[in-house]
Each structure stands twice: as C-alpha cells, then as structure tokens.
Amino acid sequence: MTDIAAPASAIPETDVTSLPSELMKPSEAAAQAPSADAVPSGRETGEPDFVHYERLVAARLGVSAGLFAALRVRHLPTAIHSLRVALLCSAWAKWRGMTEQERDELEVAALLHDVGLIGLPDQILLKPGPLTPEEILYVDRARLMSVEILRHVTDNENILRIVGNVPAWYDATRAGYSAWGRAIPEAARMIAVAEAFDAMTTDHLYRPAMSVERAFAELYHGAGRQFDPDLVEEFVRFYRSGVDAAKQDVARRWLTDLDAESVNHLWRWVSPSQTILPPEMETVFQHRLLQNMRDGVIFVDTQELILQWNPGAERLSGIMAEAVRSRKWSPTILGLRSERGEPLTEQDCPVLTALRCGAQVLRRLSMQGRNQEKVPVDLHAVPVVLQDGTILGAVAIIHDASPEINLEQRLEYFRERVTRDPLTDLANRAEFDRMLPLFVEQYQRRGIPFSLIICDLDRFKQVNDTYGHQAGDDALRTLAGVLRRYSRSGDLVARYGGEEFVMLCAACDIATATRRAEEMREALARTPLARLNGRVVTASFGVTEVQPGDTPETILRRADRALLMAKANGRNMVIQLGVGNHGETAPVSAKRWWWRAASTEVVVEETLISPFPLALAVEKLHGFIADHQARILKVQGNRLEMEIEVRNPLRSRRRSDRPVCFEMVVVMHEDKPATGDTPARSCFRVRVAPKSTRERRRREIAARLEELLTSFRSYLAISEVQPHHSNPVWLRLRSMLQKSLSQLMPRFRLL
C-alpha cells in the first residue's frame, strides 16, 4: 500500500481480479474519465496555464495566496498537485452534500496542506528517486511545519486540525498522531484519499502514472489501514460519476461566485507559537524518557486496555510489560489499597475516574510490591483529552513514596488532606476562606487585582434523584476537572459547598475572568457523562472583580448575586457584576473630616455625582445594600437611612476585633440638564457617622469609614466628589473649636 509520505515507487502490484465486481467492469464514465491532471486551463483566453492557476488560487485564498505562490516558486509540481487535490476534494464535497463552511475549510486545507515543503532541502525536494528513512523524517517535519505556518495567518481551528491530521493513518499505526479512525477530521480523511489518488495517477521521474482502475485498487488495498474504508468506497462512486465537469464547476465557482469578504474572513494575524518536533523524532524522545524514568508510567485507552507499561512500573510491581500489555486495567493488578488500607474498588480507582470524568486525580495509596510487601505510592492519573473534549485515554504515574514517609512529610500530607475536598481533590471551603482575605490584602496594600468566579451545577438535585448519587459525584468531579483545566498558576479553585465551586483568579480583570468562565461553561456543556447515559450537565457562573473598598464578604456576596441572576435568567450562562469604578474619582479636600462639637465623633458629609440616570443608580445602590448587609432604618421620599457594620478586612485582624457600626443617610435626586444633549446624572448627598466611638478606637473608626465610603463610590461609579459645605457661621465656630482641640490634644491631628 502507498503511504503518501513514502516514495511512490514502493507501490506493490495488486491483483485486480480480487477487487469487487463493480471495479472489474468500470462504468463508461469512469472508463472515459480524464486524467487527474485535468485542471481548468486558460488556453481559450490565450493565457498561459500557470497564469490561470494563479487566478484560481487568488480567487480561493485571497490575501493568503502568497503562501501558495511561495510553494509554486519553490516547487511547481507540488503546487500543481495541491491545486488538483483541492479541486477534486471540492467537487467531491459538493457531490456528497457538505455545507458551504465545510467545503470552504476543505478547499483551503487541501490547497495549503503541503506549504511546509518549502523548507525542505533541495537534495530531498528535487530528488528523482525514492527517499531514505532519514529523508522521510524531514518530509514529515515539513508537513508539520505547514500547521505552524498556517497558525500565523488563521485562528480557524478546523483548518489547522485538518492540515495537521492529513498524514494520520486510519488504524493509528503511523507514529506521532494521536487521532485515529473517525477521530481524524473527515476533511483530513478526504484529502488523504484524494491526495493518494492524484499522486498515483500522475507521472513521476521514478515511475509512470497508474491507471485509474489500478489507483482504485490501491485505495481499496489501503482501506481500513491508511484510509477510511467508507470514504474510499464513496470516492470511487463519485469519481465514476464523472469528475471532470465537476472540477470545472468548482473552478467557475472560485472565479465567479466567491467574493473578497467571504474568502478573507478566514485569515487574520495570530501570534507565533512554539516549534514542534516531527512525529518520529518526538516518539524517540518520549520512548527514551519512559524507558529511563524511575516512576512507573501506565497508558490506558478508553476501552480500559493497557497500552504502555514502562520499566519503572516493572521495577515497582515486579510484573513484566508482556504480561499485562493489552489486558484490561484493574486496580487489583497492582493490589492497590486506599488511604485506609482497604482494597481499591473500580468505582474509586483514580485511573478509571480520569477516564470517566476527564479530571486529574492525585492520591496517596499503597500497592503490592515485587516482594509482596506493602509499598506506599503517589498515584497521579491524568486524562488524555483532545481540544474538542474527546477523551483518548489516561496516563497513570506511580511514584514510590516509601523513602519520603517521615514526620515532616506526614505533617505536610495531613495538612494537604485538611485543606482538600476528598471528592474532587480541589481546595475546600476552609482553604478558600483562608485565601480570600489574603487576595484582598494584596489588593489593598499593593494594588494587585483579582477576580472571583462562583459557579453552581444546574438542577443538580434532579441529577441525583434521576440517576443516583454516584452520577451526581461524577458530575461534580467533571466540573472540578474543567475548573482545574482552565485555572492558571497562582489561581485557587475550591469546592465551596454542595454543588458550588469558586475560583480566585490572580492578577485577572473582570473581562478576562468572564471570558474564562464562558470557556469553562462551554467546555462543561459539551462533556458527556457515562452515568448520565451520555447526557451533559450545565452550570451557571457569577463573576466579579475586587474594587476599591471591598472586603472579603462584599466581593463574595457580589459574586453570589451574579450567580443568582444567572440562575434566575435561565441557567447555563455567565453574569458579571461590579467594577463600576476603580477609584478614578476627583480628589477630595482633606477638610471633609471634622469633629462634632458635642463629642469626639468623626463625621463625613459629601455630595457624590454618578453618571447614571437615577433609576439605574438606585439599582446599583440596592447591590451596595445587599452586599454590605445594611439594615434599613427609614425611607422617606428620596431620603434613606441605614445602619452598616464594617469589619477589618485584613487577615491580620484579631478575634477580639469588633465591627464598627455606622449610620448612613443618603439623599438622592436626578440632575436633568436644560438641553437634551447631555444625559441625566444622579446626585447623592451622603452623611456617615459612627453610632458610638471610643477615644482609643478613633483611628480604626476613621479607617473603616474611609473604606465604607470608597466602596459606596465604587458601587455607584461615582465620577465626581464634592465635599459638603456648611454655613459660614458654623465654619467659623468649627475653626475655633479645631484650634482649641489642637492645643488641648496635640497628639491628635485634625484631618
């Protein structure tokens, strides 16, 4: 059978008499079918053929036609071959009824799947004879470079996956490609068939072109191994139906029907990515790594069959690879036991959990060693997941932990257990409650922002009631795996309670956090669960970002309000709240702080301007009241009186610290401009004073009051702050009082 990357001279002779009867007597259309070289020509217009080729390519590729031009200049036969394959695939796609988008992606991938060959040395690209194994390695690397080149000009993942999987074999026997069978994109499987057919029916220096029927025979010979057998049979029927006119129709479509906008929407600049190794070379590195690792490494596929058992696993278990390879995985093979010393069941097996839920699992277990002794091990099960969410298998890494079981590491292990949720292996609520004040403190002291995402599985009770609690546990583990997969270094992912999870996103603004939440929501919604009979679960997300004046309590309540809004609006969505203001208000005069004449209590009065109309500003005021758990005392017209308790937000607060209770009076009205050119604004006259004070707590009270006002401004997106001005008589009395107090109490400075 012919591998396209291999020299065509290696094609074996095939006994045509062994083919199906319909190939023994080809139809008249197939017998009269033109050569695969038949590309629409420009002779009727007097143009040279290559000019007509360039017109076709420019019409199809638009601004990226330069890539094809580079291939044509480097090696014209390869460029013409790619054009023939693209025309053939497009005609085939129309014949089988593919959508316009699928057809566009197929055409572009077929035209540019060999563009990486421009990097081949001349002695390989222009070699007149068969290639050596070393030269084939360079060809494979050049094919992978096609993907790297296209990554710079398009972010269309479908095109990249098609180009990257064209060389993959249907039965997965070609090393270096993870996709096999129907997991290979359909367009890539089509290009592989069309490319092989075109290569076999084209003249080369080292062999003449095959007949169409001989090429059909070779395709059938490779069906099920190199090619998709269904597509091979379909291609033969399509080609016999008359392909020349179909390719002419494709050429006319490119030249007349395609417009610049529809062609160029596929192309945009993408930042460079890292270079990758050719499959065979990468496989050599992986093999050497596995052979020399002291840790045991086991590969298990989706059928739970053992594919790999490295020497490290042999050393730990005393079981040779030949004895277990291709056997069904079971925890009894290694004699695995749980943390309590009980035999590990399949339902509790980390490897099978990774296969079912697509989530990483790390556990301290024990296994039966080569001398039948009990060996403590760390078993890390990692799912192998494609970008579209398809699970290909799992990797189990087994680390011998017996030399590390000393007092210090036992304490660390128990600390880890105390801070982890046993079901999902995420941080637990206690760890989240410890870390959230740390994040707030970093923001207050160093200005490092962070965002908080809170999510909740939709209709989780129905899952438990319908499919059982084990299915519910799988749903929780699946959501935990998605959150862990999308977390970054410095983030904290925790199970907050029940089906609620939280993620602290370090150095992350609300726009980025919302985008990440949307990606996690989509990833969960396309992950089927076996215990739910292939159905999926969904989750709702609330997102917020820390803002000036926030405490750990207010940011958590604001995120929870966003989650409740997502639930109320239909579930399976992301809602963000907060960050109306980052403290960009106008500077406030220091004289806004003053002392009451009858006491030593500090009071602040301000007039605040919000750019929002009053109705929207009042809605934001409701959020401030809810998140601070304010107690409404009185509402009279546009005047609101309430009480708010404010605690020290820093983690260094003492258990004996008591909250400071403030009375807050808000009088609001809408400032409507005389003309309609300027939108209405909202004005808030705010007066804040502590209910009671002590001399020794005055500094703390002033700090808490400032935090409360800062938070109020942030919630209402205040754009202007005007200190409240009293009448002139009171200003003179206040000035005299300040002078007297400054003489009597020099330690206190009036702000």
Side-chain angles (χ1 to χ4, degrees), residues 398-619:
I398 305 172
H399 173 68
D400 184 359
S402 53
E404 304 168 7
I405 304 300
N406 52 43
L407 178 59
E408 179 181 349
Q409 288 170 333
R410 281 180 182 271
L411 292 175
E412 178 63 23
Y413 169 71
F414 287 127
R415 189 202 70 81
E416 181 76 9
R417 290 296 94 191
V418 168
T419 60
R420 310 300 289 183
D421 174 63
L423 178 65
T424 62
D425 200 38
L426 298 177
N428 57 19
R429 179 169 180 172
E431 180 68 2
F432 172 77
D433 290 342
R434 184 182 73 87
M435 292 299 297
L436 180 57
L438 279 174
F439 276 70
V440 174
E441 181 179 359
Q442 288 294 312
Y443 171 73
Q444 291 183 346
R445 292 184 174 177
R446 301 175 56 190
I448 300 176
F450 70 91
S451 293
L452 174 61
I453 301 174
I454 183 169
C455 62
D456 182 276
L457 280 173
D458 296 330
R459 298 183 174 90
F460 182 66
K461 186 177 184 302
Q462 294 182 14
V463 174
N464 280 333
D465 293 344
T466 306
Y467 299 98
H469 289 279
Q470 289 184 337
D473 289 348
D474 279 358
L476 293 173
R477 292 191 190 100
T478 300
L479 176 55
V482 170
L483 295 174
R484 186 186 290 109
R485 195 159 67 242
Y486 282 87
S487 65
R488 302 180 305 186
S489 177
D491 294 350
L492 175 74
V493 184
R495 184 183 179 192
Y496 192 68
E499 64 271 26
E500 282 192 347
F501 294 80
V502 288
M503 178 186 288
L504 285 170
C505 305
C508 178
D509 59 28
I510 194 169
T512 304
T514 303
R515 185 167 59 252
R516 291 171 64 187
E518 189 64 39
E519 292 171 353
M520 291 186 285
R521 184 193 65 79
E522 293 176 354
L524 178 66
R526 61 172 181 260
T527 304
L529 301 181
R531 293 187 189 272
L532 271 64
N533 300 327
R535 293 180 173 85
V536 300
V537 293
T538 62
S540 302
F541 291 77
V543 185
T544 191
E545 180 185 348
V546 65
Q547 57 191 29
D550 262 340
T551 65
E553 292 80 9
T554 57
I555 186 173
L556 182 59
R557 292 173 191 144
R558 189 165 61 249
D560 195 50
R561 276 198 300 120
L563 173 62
L564 293 176
M565 291 174 64
K567 291 281 189 182
N569 289 340
R571 299 182 174 88
N572 191 24
M573 64 176 59
V574 178
I575 296 291
Q576 61 169 329
L577 281 180
V579 192
N581 180 285
H582 277 284
E584 304 92 344
T585 53
V588 184
S589 171
K591 293 184 179 180
R592 64 193 180 92
W593 296 92
W594 51 278
W595 306 100
R596 282 185 179 175
S599 71
T600 58
E601 187 175 354
V602 64
V603 179
V604 173
E605 291 190 22
E606 291 180 340
T607 299
L608 308 176
I609 308 298
S610 173
F612 298 112
L614 187 59
L616 183 56
V618 169
E619 182 179 326

Side-chain angles (χ1 to χ4, degrees), residues 61 134 175 430 666:
L61 296 181
E134 292 78 15
V666 180

Side-chain angles (χ1 to χ4, degrees), residues 49-63:
D49 283 351
F50 72 86
V51 174
H52 191 63
Y53 298 160
E54 288 185 349
R55 287 179 54 203
L56 280 173
V57 172
R60 173 63 273 182
L61 296 181
V63 295

Side-chain angles (χ1 to χ4, degrees), residues 34 159 171 232 296 376:
I159 293 177
D171 64 353
V232 168

Side-chain angles (χ1 to χ4, degrees), residues 304 329-354 356 361 363 365-366 379 470 477 531:
E304 301 178 13
W329 164 261
S330 171
T332 58
I333 294 177
L334 293 176
L336 292 175
R337 291 180 175 270
S338 68
E339 295 87 340
R340 298 180 179 180
E342 301 170 350
L344 205 64
T345 64
E346 292 194 355
Q347 289 76 16
D348 199 30
C349 176
V351 178
L352 299 180
T353 299
R356 288 194 304 264
V361 182
R363 291 179 62 181
L365 305 173
S366 63
L379 195 153
Q470 289 184 337
R477 292 191 190 100
R531 293 187 189 272

Side-chain angles (χ1 to χ4, degrees), residues 631-649:
R631 186 165 66 93
I632 305 299
L633 301 177
K634 184 178 181 181
V635 178
Q636 184 177 5
N638 62 346
R639 178 186 173 90
L640 171 66
E641 298 180 14
M642 54 185 166
E643 285 184 357
I644 302 176
E645 287 188 350
V646 181
R647 296 180 178 272
N648 184 351

